Amino acid sequence: MRKYDFIIAGGGMAGLSLAYYLTQSPLRDRSILILDKDVKDRNDRTWCFWEKGEGAFESILFRKWNRVSFHGTTHTGALDLGSYQYKMLRGIDFYEFIQHELNKWPNIEQRQATINRIKETPQGGFVIADDEPYIADYVFDSTFLLKLNQPENHNLLQHFRGWVIKTEKDCFDPTLPELMDFRVAQQGDCRFVYVMPFDAKTALVEFTLFNDYLLADTDYEAALQQYIDQFLDTGAYEICEVETGVIPMSDEPTEENPSEHIVRIGTAGGHTKPSTGYTFQRTQRYLRTIVDALAQTGKPNRKTSWFANRFKLYDSILLNVLEQHRHPADDLFTRFYADNRPERIFRFLDEETRFMDEIRVFATMPWRPFTSAFFDVMRRRMFG
């Protein structure tokens, strides 16, 4: 049984990003094994995120924008993003870029295998995949599944179905994506559509929900068709690609470092923001910090301040408002985007604001439902 310096269990976005950052660090010559059951050779997802300046994947971005459009209950129009840009990265471009980079390093092995077990041992992190044993100084695990059913936690889902459509008519503004369009029947949930234009006749149109149950495939498709028919003057159109996804929106406590030789990354390590489901950019930021710590100290432990835990409380409060239907979600997000500058919003969601900025954000929210949610969150935390 060969021992590696690092095993990356799960070769999705988090695992591949980690491998890439390792190659960009002083640890680039370490032996690395990447295990995943799938081959990443198709465009299975799209990541959209905001960012200041140029990021690690700037060269392979599919599109980026300086403004976005928003349709809410009392506010409609374009939002100037200031020093931020809204960026779109296609899964296939990401996979091909990472694979090209990893192929430069003979010390990196990739094996297609189903991971059966991961456990801590005195000798290191131990992995069994397709009944073959592997061991490493550190195992980075993105395969661990959250329970998502504990009553003391808030457990919602962000789920979506998207169509890339090619239209007969010019009906998209390539310079102005639709960040959130709430002109769809809410049915007691948080439901919206976003539209990412590729050109005047091509766009990704995605129907997204925040709630605690999945729909039938026909329901997602009916919502997409109804939105296109009602709000887009397409003429005839064809569906070129389909993407679906389910992202947990949960404040279930996660352990990034459950043991000495195992580190959880991605959603498994709490890198998904509970209140929004945003994962890509947050995962990138955390992984870079983990690699920096590993290079500097020999241990992959991120340092966090106790005061940063206030954002976990904020997440739980918003999840409680959504879960308990304390206020219409479309109005909440309208207030959020209409009454705050986009730069403040993005800093807040990235957990980079100062406390006074957070007070200014809270002041734009309806106080009664959030106060009720706060006390319910505290009750759950104290009494379960």
Side-chain angles (χ1 to χ4, degrees):
M1 178 175 60
R2 180 179 172 186
K3 184 173 184 179
Y4 295 85
D5 291 311
F6 310 127
I7 292 176
I8 298 175
M13 179 270 287
L16 293 176
S17 297
L18 174 62
Y20 173 71
Y21 291 128
L22 286 169
T23 67
Q24 305 301 301
S25 78
L27 306 168
R28 61 180 61 89
D29 60 345
R30 303 297 177 87
S31 59
I32 301 171
L33 173 64
I34 304 172
L35 297 168
D36 195 272
K37 65 179 180 179
D38 298 320
V39 176
K40 303 299 182 183
D41 58 0
R42 62 188 182 89
N43 192 44
D44 58 350
R45 66 195 62 222
T46 302
W47 295 290
C48 292
F49 54 94
W50 53 81
E51 187 174 38
K52 275 187 177 182
E54 295 191 351
F57 306 111
E58 201 73 19
S59 65
I60 57 169
L61 291 177
F62 190 62
R63 294 290 185 275
K64 58 183 178 180
W65 300 276
N66 298 310
R67 299 187 308 150
V68 297
S69 179
F70 179 88
H71 278 84
T73 54
T74 59
H75 176 85
T76 294
L79 302 174
D80 191 319
L81 303 185
S83 60
Y84 286 84
Q85 288 184 313
Y86 198 65
K87 301 180 178 183
M88 180 180 185
L89 176 59
R90 299 194 314 159
I92 188 62
D93 297 331
F94 172 82
Y95 301 140
E96 290 179 351
F97 171 80
I98 296 292
Q99 193 60 57
H100 176 75
E101 293 299 314
L102 298 186
N103 286 342
K104 299 176 182 178
W105 301 94
N107 53 299
I108 298 178
E109 296 181 38
Q110 298 183 68
R111 298 188 184 181
Q112 188 177 354
T114 299
I115 296 169
N116 310 116
R117 187 180 183 188
I118 298 173
K119 72 172 186 176
E120 175 73 20
T121 73
Q123 293 75 37
F126 184 73
V127 180
I128 297 177
D130 283 350
D131 299 323
E132 290 290 329
Y134 306 93
I135 196 167
D137 291 335
Y138 290 105
V139 173
F140 297 92
D141 177 23
S142 64
T143 67
F144 178 82
L145 298 178
L146 305 180
K147 296 184 180 68
L148 302 178
N149 62 2
Q150 304 302 295
E152 66 270 22
N153 306 130
H154 302 85
N155 300 295
L156 299 181
L157 301 171
Q158 179 189 137
H159 46 114
F160 52 86
R161 172 71 58 88
W163 289 347
V164 174
I165 61 172
K166 186 78 172 178
T167 66
E168 179 183 22
K169 298 180 180 180
D170 290 351
C171 65
F172 303 114
D173 180 351
T175 69
L176 193 65
E178 189 75 55
L179 180 64
M180 284 180 142
D181 191 338
F182 284 100
R183 294 177 297 174
V184 293
Q186 296 297 291
Q187 299 186 31
D189 297 324
C190 177
R191 301 183 175 208
F192 59 93
V193 171
Y194 73 79
V195 181
M196 300 292 118
F198 302 174
D199 55 47
K201 292 184 177 181
T202 315
L204 169 64
V205 183
E206 195 144 285
F207 173 56
T208 303
L209 303 89
F210 298 168
N211 62 14
D212 58 359
Y213 62 94
L214 301 180
L215 305 184
D217 287 348
T218 53
D219 292 333
Y220 296 102
E221 292 164 3
L224 281 167
Q225 184 172 347
Q226 183 176 3
Y227 179 87
I228 293 169
D229 292 345
Q230 187 172 357
F231 298 113
L232 300 177
D233 184 18
T234 62
Y237 66 88
E238 63 173 317
I239 302 170
C240 305
E241 295 181 22
V242 178
E243 68 175 45
T244 61
V246 180
I247 301 171
M249 298 173 63
S250 174
D251 57 0
E252 177 181 330
T254 54
E255 293 183 275
E256 191 173 87
N257 302 98
S259 61
E260 182 180 357
H261 301 101
I262 296 174
V263 182
R264 292 176 185 155
I265 60 174
T267 299
H271 297 179
T272 295
K273 187 164 177 64
S275 59
T276 63
Y278 282 113
T279 303
F280 183 85
Q281 192 68 341
R282 184 179 168 102
T283 297
Q284 304 304 317
R285 185 166 64 250
Y286 286 5
L287 290 177
R288 287 194 295 266
T289 306
I290 289 171
V291 171
D292 287 345
L294 187 59
Q296 293 170 15
T297 70
K299 295 184 178 181
N301 301 326
R302 287 192 307 118
K303 293 183 179 180
T304 57
S305 71
W306 67 268
F307 192 51
N309 287 327
R310 69 191 187 278
F311 289 101
K312 295 181 180 180
L313 176 61
Y314 303 160
D315 286 330
S316 293
I317 292 171
L318 179 55
L319 285 174
N320 188 277
V321 172
L322 295 174
E323 177 192 82
Q324 299 299 316
H325 308 287
R326 298 186 187 277
H327 193 87
D330 53 352
D331 184 63
L332 286 180
F333 284 99
T334 299
R335 291 172 183 240
F336 191 52
Y337 281 99
D339 298 340
N340 295 280
R341 299 190 312 275
E343 289 190 85
R344 179 183 295 160
I345 292 170
F346 293 157
R347 288 200 310 272
F348 177 70
L349 293 176
D350 285 340
E351 303 180 1
E352 295 175 346
T353 43
R354 297 179 179 178
F355 187 63
M356 286 308 301
D357 287 322
E358 293 148 29
I359 295 297
R360 293 185 181 97
V361 172
F362 301 152
T364 65
M365 295 290 102
W367 68 270
R368 190 182 299 273
F370 277 81
T371 301
S372 299
F374 169 77
F375 284 110
D376 192 26
V377 168
M378 299 310 294
R379 178 191 60 80
R380 293 192 193 196
R381 291 189 174 190
M382 288 188 289
F383 305 110

